[in-house]
Amino acid sequence: EAALEEGDPVLVAAALGDIARAKGMSHVAREAGLGRESLYKALSPSGNPEFATILKVVSALGLQLHAAPAAAKGAA
């Protein structure tokens, strides 16, 4: 949640990478239908994963992304 709130795609990918490593990168890659090494590369600090890859990883981790209206700028 915090990584998404920051709005930094590198931070989001890094957070997903941390979770994937904790759950076992091989297992997550298999569940996502991706190669383990390509998943490591995509979620590395220099990686630039496609949105489809992010969605596959999120699903493989048992997570969901949610869209909600952003707070209006300048609103109190």
Side-chain angles (χ1 to χ4, degrees), residues 25-26 29-30 34-44:
M25 194 65 85
S26 295
R30 188 170 38 257
L34 302 165
R36 184 182 60 83
E37 290 196 20
S38 65
L39 187 56
Y40 267 113
K41 183 177 178 183
L43 299 179
S44 74

Side-chain angles (χ1 to χ4, degrees), residues 14-76:
L16 288 174
D18 289 346
I19 297 167
R21 281 185 286 284
K23 293 204 175 227
M25 194 65 85
S26 295
H27 172 74
V28 173
R30 188 170 38 257
E31 290 293 314
L34 302 165
R36 184 182 60 83
E37 290 196 20
S38 65
L39 187 56
Y40 267 113
K41 183 177 178 183
L43 299 179
S44 74
S46 62
N48 187 18
E50 293 184 6
F51 190 63
T53 300
I54 294 295
L55 291 178
K56 288 176 183 179
V57 171
V58 165
S59 178
L61 292 172
L63 302 173
Q64 293 180 337
L65 294 180
H66 295 275
K73 291 187 178 189

